[in-house]
Amino acid sequence: MNIIEIRGLTKDYPLGKTIVHALRGIDLSIAKGDLVSVMGPSGSGKTTLLNVIGCIDLATAGSVKIGDRELTALDDKQVTDLRLHRLGFIFQTFNLIPVLTSTENVEFPLLLQKRLDRKEIRRRAEKLLDDVGLSEYRRNRPSELSGGQRQRVAIARALVTHPDIVLADEPTANLDSATGASILEIMKEMNAREQTTFLFSTHDKNVLKYARTVVNIKDGLIDGN
Amino acid sequence: MELICKIAGRNLWRHRGHSLVIGAILFLGSLFMTVGNGVVSGMDRGLQRTIVRSFTGDIVLLSDKHESDNVFMEMMGRAVEPIEDYAAVRAVLEKDSALSDFLPIGKNMAMILNDEDGPSAFVYLLGVDFGRYRKMFPGNMEILEGRFPVEGQTGMLLPLWARKEIRDQTNVWFVPAGAPMGLGLDTSHMDADARKHRADMRVKNGMVMMGFNEANTATDIRLNVDGVFRYNALNTIFGHFALTDIESYRKCLGYFLASEKNQGKVSGADSALLSMEDGNLDAMFGTDSLVVTDKPAAGLSGPPVRKSPPREAVSPRPQNPPAGASVKPAAMDLDQGAYNLVLLLLKNGVNSDAALAELNARLKQAHASVRAVPWKKALGVVGSMATIIKGALFVFVSLLFVVAVIVIVNTLTMAALERTPELGMMRAIGARKGFIGGMFLAETAMLSALFGGLGIVAGILGVGVLSLLKLTSENDMLQLFFGGDTFHPLLTAGDIVLAGLQLAFVTVAAVTYPLLLARKVGPLDAIGKE
């Protein structure tokens, strides 16, 4: 069963008087529980693809479905709710809320959801921090953590809501190779344990061994499968 | 909400520099707003005390025939028309439950004649029943020389300021009857210029006055000065108004006297006119009419209240008549004679606008040919000055608002722009626009509550300290600002609530634009395009 269905996706950006065609008609299906790496050189359109799938950016044309929901038909509120309940994000630059501790950052999406009580939220957040090896840093703020530790907090935050899909845009780009490898190991482990679909972009061929499926993208088009 | 407050509070601490800038503005704004409210309130109460409770009352009744509402400060303007049917007016006033007291008075201008062919001087006369006047405005003046006139007798109280002006123009220095006029002359209240020219000055204790009624004709009367006084506040402004007994005033203005009405007689001047033959009417406007004469004319009738006789000589009293020469029989009803105005005091807590409207309706219903106007209108430019000063304070406080809002908007806008990645990331992981807006609002509200609250508390303390300093001034403009001779700012619970509301308004006005800006931040702004 496919969790993501993309048909004829194009994305154009105006750049001064010219139009940049970032995606030129992408067809892509991703199965639930897959661990997909989107490969491509810088400027190939991989981040744009992840942004459109993650409802962070809008498609110019084409169809993008998450489960049975067509993203192009949703309004801002619905898109926000979709991001909150069904998607998880890991950004390249370890985007954490600077004034919250590690635990509070992980709790943040659950507090926005308002589905669970305070104790359950805390229990889940602490468990995930344990899973990513940060039990000793629960009370630390992002400024007190290393890059790798921050990225692990971001992974825990992305997974805490049990999303259908976790999108990670070059999660290891700003990390040394050892730390990057450990982050990918955690993602692989979580994928196996939680059956969460992972879609991450990278231009580092060394990380291909962690992916079950590799999508090559070049000049806004899928280059083989 | 807990999450919003937690993030907002920590953000304030994290961006301490911004927070302190905004906090300082809010603190100062609240402080000035609170003190400003205190000054305005103190001024209001002061004006109530020094003008309403000392000079005009809350409402002034005047004749419908008088065009302008400004009856006190129309300098060299038209004489104030007499009220023609005071009995009907009194009947309405006596039934008005909103009034605590009322006082009918005469008010017009008189010329003080100089018996040495020198220049004359002018003074405003308030003709009053001294007993009722003292009851209506207790403690509004300080007698500096002489005494307060005995009720029921002729008398005059000359204000310090008017005495100085008369001396400046006529070189005559008036002292109360019985006071030393040569050696032993009381110089304690003499201005420097008068002291300097002490040797050249003539000193008198009685004056001959000629009133100016609406037809610019009247009668000469001689009155002794009973006392020299100072109004307790706004003495320079109110010091132009001398007080005389109402019957002397009426005689001076050529109005019906109560004494003659009570005795079924008309005044000497009126009697002369009434007995004048028709053929002699033209003589009224000829030079002969200016000739002082005791000879009555015949055949003239006039309006029931107002008479405009030619100048009449009233037998001058001796230079130092025995005090207590009575013009009012014990049972005489002074209200039988003419008045120009009625001053009305409202009971405490009565809404003056509503009382004024209701009174005017009742007067109209009673067909009384008078209208009621608020004291500020009756005082003309002085009443307007009070409003202008209040308006200036309001503008000052409003400018503070605007400056505070602009600076806070700028600072918060900068904060919103600096925090774009953080806000965009929050939106990316599921925070709605309302959450972002709520976070900004919470941050500003916290600053506002903390620093603005401190500002209000400091303002309350400041007003208390200013009040304790008891700053005084002899300057009338400052006295208008003070609402009296002493600066006494005052804060009521309503003023404090008002300061809180003003602070809330500033907060909302200041946060609106940055909040809208922050709400517009999308996830893409945080992540950036590849």
Side-chain angles (χ1 to χ4, degrees), chain B residues 30 33-42 44-45 456 460 463 489-502:
Chain B
S30 304
M33 280 188 288
T34 309
V35 172
N37 289 344
V39 169
V40 169
S41 270
D44 256 350
R45 181 171 285 197
I456 290 175
I460 294 168
V463 166
L490 172 81
L491 273 175
T492 62
D495 293 323
I496 295 166
V497 170
L498 178 66
L501 290 175
Q502 288 166 330

Coordinates of all heavy atoms in Angstrom, one line a residue, chain B residues 30 33-42 44-45 456 460 463 489-502:
Chain B
S30 N 3.0 54.5 31.4 CA 2.0 54.3 32.4 C 2.2 55.3 33.5 O 1.2 55.8 34.1 CB 2.2 52.9 33.0 OG 2.1 51.9 32.1
M33 N 0.9 58.6 32.2 CA -0.5 58.5 32.0 C -1.2 58.6 33.4 O -2.2 59.3 33.6 CB -0.9 57.1 31.4 CG -0.8 57.1 29.9 SD -1.4 55.6 29.2 CE -0.3 54.4 29.7
T34 N -0.7 57.9 34.4 CA -1.3 57.9 35.7 C -1.2 59.3 36.3 O -2.2 59.8 36.9 CB -0.6 56.8 36.6 OG1 -0.6 55.6 35.9 CG2 -1.3 56.7 37.9
V35 N 0.0 59.9 36.2 CA 0.2 61.2 36.8 C -0.7 62.2 36.1 O -1.3 63.1 36.7 CB 1.7 61.6 36.7 CG1 1.9 63.1 37.1 CG2 2.5 60.8 37.7
G36 N -0.7 62.1 34.7 CA -1.6 62.9 33.9 C -3.1 62.8 34.3 O -3.8 63.8 34.5
N37 N -3.5 61.6 34.5 CA -4.9 61.4 35.0 C -5.1 62.1 36.4 O -6.1 62.7 36.6 CB -5.2 59.9 35.1 CG -5.3 59.3 33.8 OD1 -5.5 59.9 32.7 ND2 -5.2 57.9 33.7
G38 N -4.1 62.0 37.2 CA -4.1 62.6 38.5 C -4.2 64.1 38.5 O -5.0 64.7 39.2
V39 N -3.4 64.6 37.6 CA -3.4 66.1 37.4 C -4.8 66.6 36.9 O -5.4 67.5 37.4 CB -2.3 66.6 36.4 CG1 -2.5 68.0 36.1 CG2 -1.0 66.3 37.1
V40 N -5.3 65.9 35.9 CA -6.6 66.2 35.3 C -7.7 66.1 36.4 O -8.6 67.0 36.5 CB -7.0 65.4 34.1 CG1 -8.4 65.6 33.7 CG2 -6.0 65.7 32.9
S41 N -7.7 65.0 37.1 CA -8.7 64.9 38.2 C -8.6 65.9 39.3 O -9.6 66.5 39.7 CB -8.5 63.5 38.9 OG -9.3 62.5 38.2
G42 N -7.3 66.2 39.7 CA -7.1 67.2 40.7 C -7.5 68.6 40.2 O -8.1 69.4 40.9
D44 N -9.8 69.1 37.9 CA -11.3 69.1 37.9 C -11.9 69.4 39.2 O -12.8 70.3 39.4 CB -11.8 67.7 37.4 CG -12.3 67.7 36.0 OD1 -12.4 68.8 35.4 OD2 -12.5 66.6 35.5
R45 N -11.3 68.7 40.2 CA -11.9 68.9 41.6 C -11.5 70.3 42.1 O -12.3 71.0 42.7 CB -11.3 67.9 42.6 CG -11.8 68.1 44.0 CD -11.5 66.9 44.9 NE -12.3 65.8 44.6 CZ -12.4 64.7 45.4 NH1 -11.8 64.8 46.5 NH2 -13.1 63.7 45.1
I456 N 2.2 52.3 36.8 CA 0.9 52.8 37.4 C 1.2 52.9 38.9 O 0.8 54.0 39.5 CB -0.3 51.8 37.2 CG1 -0.6 51.9 35.7 CG2 -1.5 52.2 38.0 CD1 -1.7 51.0 35.2
I460 N 1.0 56.4 41.0 CA 0.2 56.6 42.2 C 1.0 57.2 43.3 O 0.6 58.2 43.9 CB -0.5 55.2 42.7 CG1 -1.5 54.7 41.7 CG2 -1.1 55.4 44.0 CD1 -1.9 53.3 41.9
V463 N 1.9 60.8 42.3 CA 0.8 61.8 42.6 C 0.7 62.1 44.1 O 0.4 63.2 44.5 CB -0.6 61.2 42.0 CG1 -1.8 61.9 42.6 CG2 -0.6 61.2 40.5
P489 N -2.8 67.2 42.8 CA -3.3 66.2 41.9 C -4.0 65.1 42.8 O -3.6 64.9 43.9 CB -2.0 65.6 41.2 CG -0.9 66.1 42.1 CD -1.4 67.3 42.8
L490 N -4.9 64.4 42.1 CA -5.7 63.5 42.9 C -6.0 62.3 42.0 O -6.4 62.4 40.8 CB -7.0 64.2 43.2 CG -8.1 63.4 43.8 CD1 -7.8 63.3 45.3 CD2 -9.4 64.2 43.6
L491 N -5.9 61.1 42.6 CA -6.3 59.9 41.8 C -7.4 59.2 42.4 O -7.4 58.8 43.6 CB -5.1 58.9 41.7 CG -4.0 59.1 40.6 CD1 -2.9 58.2 40.8 CD2 -4.6 58.9 39.3
T492 N -8.5 59.0 41.6 CA -9.6 58.2 42.1 C -9.4 56.8 41.6 O -8.6 56.5 40.7 CB -10.9 58.8 41.6 OG1 -10.9 58.7 40.2 CG2 -11.1 60.2 42.0
A493 N -10.3 55.9 42.1 CA -10.2 54.5 41.6 C -10.5 54.5 40.1 O -9.9 53.7 39.4 CB -11.2 53.7 42.4
G494 N -11.4 55.3 39.7 CA -11.7 55.4 38.3 C -10.5 55.8 37.5 O -10.3 55.3 36.4
D495 N -9.7 56.7 38.0 CA -8.5 57.2 37.3 C -7.5 56.0 37.1 O -6.9 55.9 36.1 CB -7.8 58.3 38.0 CG -8.6 59.6 38.0 OD1 -9.3 59.8 37.0 OD2 -8.6 60.3 39.0
I496 N -7.4 55.2 38.1 CA -6.5 54.1 38.1 C -7.0 53.0 37.1 O -6.2 52.5 36.3 CB -6.3 53.5 39.5 CG1 -5.6 54.5 40.4 CG2 -5.4 52.2 39.4 CD1 -5.6 54.2 41.9
V497 N -8.3 52.8 37.1 CA -8.9 51.9 36.1 C -8.6 52.5 34.7 O -8.3 51.7 33.8 CB -10.4 51.7 36.4 CG1 -11.0 50.9 35.3 CG2 -10.6 50.9 37.7
L498 N -8.8 53.8 34.6 CA -8.6 54.4 33.3 C -7.2 54.2 32.8 O -6.9 53.9 31.6 CB -8.9 55.9 33.4 CG -8.7 56.7 32.1 CD1 -9.7 56.3 31.0 CD2 -8.9 58.2 32.4
A499 N -6.2 54.4 33.7 CA -4.8 54.2 33.4 C -4.6 52.7 32.9 O -3.8 52.5 31.9 CB -3.9 54.5 34.6
G500 N -5.2 51.8 33.6 CA -5.1 50.4 33.2 C -5.7 50.2 31.8 O -5.1 49.5 31.0
L501 N -6.8 50.8 31.5 CA -7.4 50.7 30.2 C -6.6 51.3 29.1 O -6.4 50.8 28.0 CB -8.8 51.3 30.2 CG -9.9 50.6 31.0 CD1 -11.2 51.4 31.0 CD2 -10.2 49.2 30.4
Q502 N -6.0 52.5 29.5 CA -5.1 53.1 28.5 C -3.9 52.2 28.2 O -3.5 52.1 27.0 CB -4.6 54.5 29.1 CG -5.7 55.5 29.1 CD -5.3 56.7 30.0 OE1 -4.6 56.6 31.0 NE2 -5.9 57.9 29.6

